[in-house]
């Protein structure tokens, strides 16, 4: 399967203007194929789901090598654009983050997430800004219009203070989209849309705003984050508990469809 990644990167960028771009998040090649087959215009990974699939905890458990190996396998089985959750960049310095970004571009990734928290602790915004600069430099060197999604965890691990100030700093550093997980209040989202210099990405799921509600608020990109992977592992646990306790399999559905996607 030969894919023009530079053209694909431009197409992925354009999807943010057609809005909202809906991204159910994958965690392995099988889930990525299922999401593509469902009609997704692009596939995004979730670091939480990838971590769980590797048997480690999110936010610090996943190694750079393991993360990139999963991305390589996913890129090999899908034809739609792939955007990768790189957590804080898998590097101690901006230069090391730039090396990570150069490698994921070589793999076939056309978008990335970089975040400003480490191990659930909100960090100095200048650190992420420097990493965004390094990521953009790597993309320019590769000749690709990489979409950089700057994630700020001001609401996920704080009270929201400084969100728009961080947004402006990340925009100046070269980010294309602002990702603010942890917000579900309509008024807050409306204010972020109005005040951000970048298109807004939010994360939703069970109990959160619907796609229609978020679209009406002006959100450009909608992610499900770890919701799909958590649901899959929840189903596995529930099915195992059922068969071990009662010998029945009622929580399971049709098991024959997925294999056809991978042929």
């Amino acid at each position: 399967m030969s894919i023009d990644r530079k053209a694909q990167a431009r197409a992925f960028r354009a999807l943010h203007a057609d809005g909202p771009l809906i991204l159910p998040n994958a965690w392995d090649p099988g889930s990525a194929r299922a999401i593509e087959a469902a009609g997704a215009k692009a596939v995004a990974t979730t670091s939480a789901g990838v971590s769980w699939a590797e048997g480690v905890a999110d936010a610090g458990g996943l190694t750079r090598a393991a993360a990139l190996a999963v991305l390589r396998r996913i890129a090999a089985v899908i034809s739609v654009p792939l955007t990768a959750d790189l957590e804080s960049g898998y590097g101690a310095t901006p230069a090391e983050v730039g090396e990570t970004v150069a490698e994921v571009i070589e793999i076939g990734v056309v978008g990335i997430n970089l975040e400003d928290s480490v191990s659930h602790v909100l960090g100095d915004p200048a650190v992420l800004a420097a990493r965004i600069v390094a990521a953009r430099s790597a993309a320019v060197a590769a000749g690709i219009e990489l979409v950089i999604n700057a994630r700020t965890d001001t609401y996920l691990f704080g009270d929201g203070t400084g969100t728009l100030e961080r947004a402006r700093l990340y925009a100046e550093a070269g980010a294309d989209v602002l990702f603010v997980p942890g917000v579900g209040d309509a008024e807050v989202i409306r204010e972020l849309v109005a005040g951000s210099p970048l298109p807004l990405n939010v994360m939703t799921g069970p109990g959160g705003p619907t796609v229609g509600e978020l679209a009406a608020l002006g959100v450009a990109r909608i992610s499900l984050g770890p919701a799909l992977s958590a649901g899959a592992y929840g189903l596995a646990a529930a099915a195992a508990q059922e068969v071990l306790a009662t010998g029945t399999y009622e929580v399971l559905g049709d098991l024959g469809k997925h294999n056809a996607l991978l042929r």
Side-chain angles (χ1 to χ4, degrees):
M1 179 170 55
S2 178
I3 298 174
D4 183 342
R5 296 297 183 186
K6 292 182 180 180
Q8 195 176 62
R10 291 192 294 270
F12 181 57
R13 179 178 295 276
L15 288 174
H16 293 77
D18 296 337
L21 171 60
I22 304 169
L23 293 170
N25 299 74
W27 60 96
D28 63 8
S31 61
R33 275 294 294 124
I35 289 166
E36 180 182 30
K41 295 179 180 179
V43 169
T45 62
T46 160
S47 65
V50 173
S51 298
W52 299 336
E54 294 293 312
V56 297
D58 185 29
L62 192 64
T63 66
R64 178 183 184 275
L68 269 57
V70 172
L71 288 173
R72 195 174 295 279
R73 295 197 300 273
I74 291 175
V77 300
I78 63 172
S79 59
V80 296
L82 174 62
T83 181
D85 181 351
L86 298 183
E87 299 188 85
S88 58
Y90 303 118
T93 66
E96 290 175 351
V97 172
E99 291 170 3
T100 298
V101 173
E103 187 163 351
V104 301
I105 290 172
E106 183 275 328
I107 286 170
V109 167
V110 298
I112 61 168
N113 280 19
L114 289 173
E115 61 196 47
D116 60 10
S117 65
V118 178
S119 299
H120 296 156
V121 177
L122 189 63
D124 182 348
V127 173
L128 179 56
R131 294 179 177 198
I132 293 169
V133 169
R136 180 59 66 204
S137 295
V140 170
I144 190 168
E145 294 183 27
L146 185 76
V147 175
I148 300 177
N149 193 25
R151 170 176 148 174
T152 181
D153 288 336
T154 50
Y155 281 92
L156 201 58
F157 304 127
D159 61 4
T161 300
T163 300
L164 293 178
E165 289 78 6
R166 287 176 184 250
R168 286 188 280 274
L169 182 60
Y170 301 157
E172 292 169 0
D176 300 292
V177 183
L178 177 69
F179 183 21
V180 188
V183 292
D185 180 80
E187 189 54 39
V188 172
I189 293 171
R190 186 178 289 111
E191 290 174 359
L192 290 173
V193 168
S196 172
L198 299 170
L200 184 67
N201 177 190
V202 301
M203 183 170 66
T204 191
T210 66
V211 167
E213 290 167 343
L214 292 171
L217 292 170
V219 171
R221 175 165 161 168
I222 300 168
S223 305
L224 292 187
L228 291 184
S229 49
Y233 288 120
L235 174 61
Q241 289 167 359
E242 180 189 358
V243 70
L244 291 170
T246 68
T248 58
Y249 334 97
E250 296 303 315
V251 302
L252 294 174
D254 185 350
L255 304 180
K257 294 180 179 179
H258 189 65
N259 193 55
L261 297 178
L262 303 175
R263 290 198 178 106

